[in-house]
Amino acid sequence: MQIDAVLTPAEIDHLPEADLSRTHCVVFDVLRATSSILTGLANGVREILPVATLDEAQAARAQWPDALLGGERYGDRIPGFDLGNSPLEYRRTDVCRIITTTTNGTVALRACAAAAEVWAGALLNMKALEEGLRASAPEKVLLVCSGTFRELALEDVLAAGMLAHAFPEAELTDAAQTARSVYREHQSDLGAALRLAKNGRSLQRQGREADVDWCAQVSLFSVVGRMQNGILRAAAAPVS
Ligand code: MLT
């Protein structure tokens, strides 16, 4: 297995044109998009549709009138939407479908849409990701770090590195090795690393430290968020 990583949003821009037909992508937006998506799926949301823009979200709502609209811009709930992007809001068990649009996470998921497999990853489902990858043993894995606006995000690189670290037998590209080094630097206290990251600091300033603490939990959920035809559903690891 070869493990590569995309560490910055600039690289994500090129993914829609890349040939990912034999690549298994794992997309991380630890603070907070993929953590929220996984919290929803683990709590019984059946389908989550990640979209890049507000217009796409509204258009999708016309197709899925029963769905809640979720997501954020500048971290805040979008006016008129039902949910923001706090993972704590995604613990609701009365919701069947959610359409979500966020600044980076949903964009990164969409950018990987043509890949052989696309999974939503976070610290919250780290063990499930590892077990799922072991079971499916893909030839090529691409760890996609969503970032924040146009910048690299420490927490995404850390999570990607934690997954890479679990596969000592794999061939790692320099990008994946870099992510693994970041994980090794912080492995003794992942919560502290999330609070140190720029995103973590800004969430704390906004009084959203509970979100940071939530997202810092490792392997709370045993599901992988698997995207097929653009829709994320929970799949129990090993994924088949
Ligand atoms: C994003 O997708 O850019 C993030 O999840 C932003 C956020 O923290 O809500």
Side-chain angles (χ1 to χ4, degrees), residues 29 31-33 72 75 85 102-106 147-148 199 203:
D29 189 334
L31 294 174
R32 302 166 291 174
E72 58 71 41
N85 194 32
T102 69
T103 314
N104 289 78
T106 62
T148 303
N199 257 329
L203 286 164

Side-chain angles (χ1 to χ4, degrees), residues 37 47-51 56-57 59-61 63-64 70 97-101 106 110 227 229-232:
I37 286 167
E47 297 183 319
I48 299 185
L49 178 67
V51 296
E56 284 176 73
R61 179 68 164 293
Q63 305 295 316
W64 279 9
R97 286 170 152 181
I98 296 175
I99 299 159
T100 177
T101 175
T106 62
R110 299 297 321 165
M227 192 168 89
N229 300 321
I231 300 171
L232 286 151

